[in-house]
Amino acid sequence: MEFFIDTAITDEIREINEWGVLAGVTTNPSLIVASGRDFREVVQEIAALVGGAISAEVTALDAEGMIKEGREVAAWSEHVVVKLPLTPAGLKACKVLTGEGIRTNVTLCFSVPQALLAARAGATYISPFAGRVDDIGWDGTELIRQIKEAYVLGGIETKVLAASIRHPMHVVQAALAGADVATIPYKVFTQMIKHPLTQAGLDGFMKDWAKRAGASPETPASEAGTNPTSGGVTEQGGSKQ
């Protein structure tokens, strides 16, 4: 499963991209407004930072307006994927833009029938909103699983992009449900990387490393001697696991 980041704040994108895990970025009008920047400027900066697939959403509500806006947005960068709402107008625009070779991400999906319609209109990605489905007492993970199963059975190539991710377990559930992509907020990425046993293990390794010959409790580990002693280091120089 690929990871996208769901934000338009370039400092957040830059930080997570430096981890080496991003394959793309998703934005929407709300995220662009939150960034406080010009739409085109921020999309082009994101494309230069990450490459991959950068979803940029149209704001027109009619098919003609979506098509016109979609063509314009797609011309900003080869990495742009035009994001369209799952409405009759959005499907019409998806069909036209796909026919012109423009990649599309059909968003605000909340059911399998909607996902099937988007796929037949040529969507490159379908974005089921797992968190919002959970909010109304339904099962967002099951929705992702059913969409993926229907696509596999139908030989459909549209990629399932799990959206509205609220916490690390949503990422796990999306992966196990067969999602091709999960678009994850910055906060959730920072939660995913943390585990108390990872930090405890690192602290233990560094404490043992500081016990090498020539080191005192006040000596930084990087300045300690090079001859290994006991204190968690084997005769072969390998640390205890």
Side-chain angles (χ1 to χ4, degrees):
M1 185 174 73
E2 292 183 327
F3 291 157
F4 291 0
I5 186 169
D6 191 37
T7 184
I9 299 174
T10 53
D11 285 345
E12 294 180 347
I13 296 167
R14 184 177 293 105
E15 178 183 341
I16 304 302
N17 189 51
E18 288 175 351
W19 295 5
V21 301
L22 289 185
V25 180
T26 54
T27 69
N28 60 46
S30 297
L31 293 174
I32 294 293
V33 170
S35 77
R37 299 178 57 193
D38 175 74
F39 186 21
R40 177 172 181 166
E41 178 184 82
V42 72
V43 167
Q44 289 181 322
E45 183 175 344
I46 291 169
L49 277 173
V50 180
I54 314 300
S55 285
E57 188 165 350
V58 301
T59 54
L61 297 178
D62 63 294
E64 184 177 347
M66 290 181 190
I67 293 165
K68 179 180 179 181
E69 191 176 346
R71 289 168 177 158
E72 178 183 352
V73 171
W76 292 349
S77 169
E78 62 180 336
H79 300 294
V80 166
V81 175
V82 177
K83 202 170 182 183
L84 302 160
L86 217 166
T87 62
L91 293 180
K92 291 178 184 178
C94 180
K95 187 69 173 181
V96 172
L97 294 173
T98 298
E100 296 177 0
I102 296 173
R103 292 180 296 170
T104 55
N105 176 1
V106 177
T107 188
L108 294 170
C109 175
F110 297 96
S111 73
V112 177
Q114 285 183 318
L116 291 171
L117 288 169
R120 292 310 178 193
T124 310
Y125 297 94
I126 185 69
S127 290
F129 278 37
R132 294 195 192 185
V133 171
D134 287 350
D135 288 345
I136 61 171
W138 297 354
D139 189 338
T141 301
E142 180 63 12
L143 173 61
I144 293 169
R145 188 197 65 75
Q146 289 181 0
I147 292 172
K148 184 63 179 181
E149 182 178 355
Y151 281 6
V152 170
L153 290 173
I156 295 170
E157 296 182 357
T158 299
K159 293 184 177 181
V160 179
L161 193 163
S164 188
I165 299 293
R166 303 283 176 79
H167 46 71
M169 279 308 300
H170 265 158
V171 180
V172 175
Q173 291 162 355
L176 295 176
D180 300 288
V181 185
T183 187
I184 305 169
Y186 170 81
K187 179 181 177 180
V188 177
F189 270 112
T190 63
Q191 293 170 334
M192 289 170 64
I193 195 67
K194 295 178 181 177
H195 194 286
L197 293 181
T198 300
Q199 189 60 51
L202 181 60
D203 291 345
F205 290 159
M206 293 301 97
K207 181 178 179 181
D208 289 345
W209 189 246
K211 295 176 181 177
R212 294 179 300 161
S216 69
E218 292 76 25
T219 304
S222 60
E223 298 177 10
T226 58
N227 295 323
T229 63
S230 56
V233 181
T234 68
E235 292 181 357
Q236 291 75 29
S239 61
K240 295 188 292 188
Q241 301 300 310

